[in-house]
Amino acid sequence: MVVGKIVGSVVSTRKNERLTGSKFMIVEPIDKTAEKVGRLVAVDNVGAGIGEIVLVVTGSAARIGCGMETAPVDAAIVGIVDSENGLTEVD
């Protein structure tokens, strides 16, 4: 699991039919939680917004975590962090 900050969004009008209706956000991992992981695009079905700190799962856990087992999803936002005590903010 990765903790990151949402820094933007992606709009895609043409995509795999299993992704229709999905919202895509750009997540910048917070330093202490994801070494050598750059920004990633994650499916958001929890309603997160730009500037929020979120929990992201990757790999097959992403498809399961967002209820899209048959969709081509590799990263999904599964939670919005209310308190980030001890985490380093993204610059």
Side-chain angles (χ1 to χ4, degrees):
M1 188 171 300
V2 175
V3 178
K5 183 174 185 175
I6 297 180
V7 296
S9 63
V10 174
V11 176
S12 175
T13 55
R14 295 185 66 181
K15 57 188 159 275
N16 182 284
E17 65 185 32
R18 292 185 182 113
L19 296 173
T20 300
S22 296
K23 178 179 160 188
F24 302 101
M25 304 303 281
I26 302 169
V27 180
E28 177 80 31
I30 292 176
D31 294 340
K32 290 183 180 179
T33 62
E35 292 187 28
K36 298 184 181 180
V37 175
R39 288 184 176 182
L40 44 100
V41 175
V43 170
D44 173 28
N45 62 2
V46 298
I50 295 174
E52 290 190 289
I53 304 296
V54 293
L55 300 174
V56 179
V57 292
T58 58
S60 61
R63 291 188 299 280
I64 295 165
C66 68
M68 301 173 72
E69 289 85 1
T70 61
V73 174
D74 190 48
I77 297 169
V78 295
I80 300 172
V81 175
D82 295 321
S83 176
E84 68 213 66
N85 193 11
L87 295 175
T88 302
E89 286 289 330
V90 176
D91 292 333

